[in-house]
């Protein structure tokens, strides 16, 4: 059935999985919230459209500590990404607790959630996908992706992969969670890492050349 299976066993498995993904995100982002997140799963796009006005789009509301998701067979592939948006609200700014405050920095918002999620597509890691795109000359410019319009102007699969892999690189090389929190809050690469974005991109590209493409 495509309907949400309201059984005690399923609900207990779903809750346990959401809590596990929440803990993974919290550890990567370096936060220990005292609040809980409300996760809403909808039985169909029609129900989701009727109740929240977004039939096909999964989304998070950091300022309300909520995620809204289309139900899919267990385990849910999107919940970890959306939970990361909510948890990043611990160091986000403005009324919506996001990067950039009133003028959202979409590259940082989606990049941080993708980095925390760190999901693998097929047999390749997030980092390997970025390395593969570089070798195919399909890797987008980071300078463009972190501009207000550059992220949405890039093919979305490549945009998400690039910013997510790049922020994981910064997490590993430039101060871990503390640097990422400062970067997300202020949007200033040089202040967070000691290096401007152009130099960070150069270092990242050199790093991608060293990534093996097999397991």
């Amino acid at each position: 059935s495509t309907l949400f299976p309201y059984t005690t066993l399923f609900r207990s498995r779903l809750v346990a999985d959401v809590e596990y993904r929440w803990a993974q995100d919290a550890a990567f982002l370096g936060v220990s919230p005292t609040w809980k997140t409300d996760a809403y799963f909808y039985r169909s796009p029609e129900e989701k459209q009727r109740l929240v006005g977004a039939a096909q789009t999964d989304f998070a509301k950091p300022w309300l500590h909520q995620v809204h998701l289309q139900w899919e067979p267990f385990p849910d592939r999107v919940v970890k990404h959306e939970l990361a948006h909510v948890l990043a609200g611990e160091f986000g700014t403005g009324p919506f607790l996001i990067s950039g405050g009133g003028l959202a920095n979409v590259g940082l918002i989606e990049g941080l959630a993708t980095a925390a999620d760190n999901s693998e597509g097929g047999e390749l890691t997030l980092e390997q996908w970025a390395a593969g795109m570089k070798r195919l000359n399909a890797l987008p410019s980071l300078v463009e992706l972190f501009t207000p319009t550059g992220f949405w102007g890039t093919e979305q699969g490549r945009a998400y992969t690039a910013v997510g892999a790049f922020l994981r690189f910064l997490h590993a090389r430039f101060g871990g969670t503390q640097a990422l929190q400062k970067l997300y809050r202020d949007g200033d690469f040089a202040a967070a890492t000691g290096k401007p974005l152009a130099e960070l991109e150069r270092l990242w590209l050199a790093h991608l050349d060293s990534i093996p493409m097999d397991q």
Side-chain angles (χ1 to χ4, degrees):
S1 171
T2 58
L3 296 180
F4 189 91
Y6 289 109
T7 66
T8 301
L9 175 60
F10 182 87
R11 282 182 294 179
S12 65
R13 291 178 64 197
L14 182 61
V15 169
D17 187 61
V18 171
E19 290 180 343
Y20 176 59
R21 304 305 177 188
W22 191 90
Q24 286 181 311
D25 283 341
F28 178 79
L29 297 172
V31 296
S32 300
T34 57
W35 42 264
K36 293 295 184 182
T37 301
D38 293 318
Y40 295 89
F41 292 85
Y42 299 88
R43 293 172 291 186
S44 68
E46 293 74 23
E47 180 180 66
K48 195 158 174 281
Q49 175 69 38
R50 176 170 54 84
L51 294 175
V52 295
Q56 301 295 337
T57 305
D58 296 315
F59 61 93
K61 293 184 175 182
W63 66 100
L64 295 177
H65 306 154
Q66 295 177 356
V67 295
H68 296 263
L69 305 162
Q70 175 64 46
W71 174 79
E72 60 180 46
F74 183 87
D76 192 286
R77 299 169 300 154
V78 183
V79 66
K80 190 178 179 186
H81 179 100
E82 298 302 335
L83 287 171
H85 283 309
V86 174
L87 288 164
E90 282 285 275
F91 43 88
T93 60
F96 301 115
L97 301 181
I98 57 176
S99 181
L103 183 61
N105 189 321
V106 181
L108 286 176
I109 293 169
E110 296 300 341
L112 191 67
T114 303
D117 182 8
N118 194 31
S119 61
E120 300 178 2
E123 297 181 354
L124 299 182
T125 66
L126 187 64
E127 188 175 60
Q128 285 175 320
W129 274 111
M133 286 195 297
K134 181 178 185 297
R135 293 170 197 186
L136 293 172
N137 295 317
L139 191 66
S141 162
L142 291 179
V143 174
E144 289 293 322
L145 291 177
F146 290 112
T147 62
T149 59
F151 186 88
W152 294 127
T154 303
E155 191 277 321
Q156 291 299 276
R158 294 188 296 125
Y160 275 81
T161 297
V163 292
F166 175 64
L167 291 187
R168 285 195 69 84
F169 170 76
L170 295 189
H171 182 276
R173 296 287 188 90
F174 293 94
T177 57
Q178 185 175 359
L180 281 192
Q181 288 183 14
K182 182 173 179 57
L183 174 60
Y184 192 84
R185 181 174 58 249
D186 303 329
D188 189 330
F189 286 90
T193 68
K195 298 181 184 297
L197 177 56
E199 184 174 353
L200 292 170
E201 182 172 26
R202 180 182 61 79
L203 294 172
W204 180 58
L205 293 176
H207 169 70
L208 291 180
D209 287 336
S210 70
I211 301 300
M213 297 303 295
D214 56 11
Q215 300 285 17

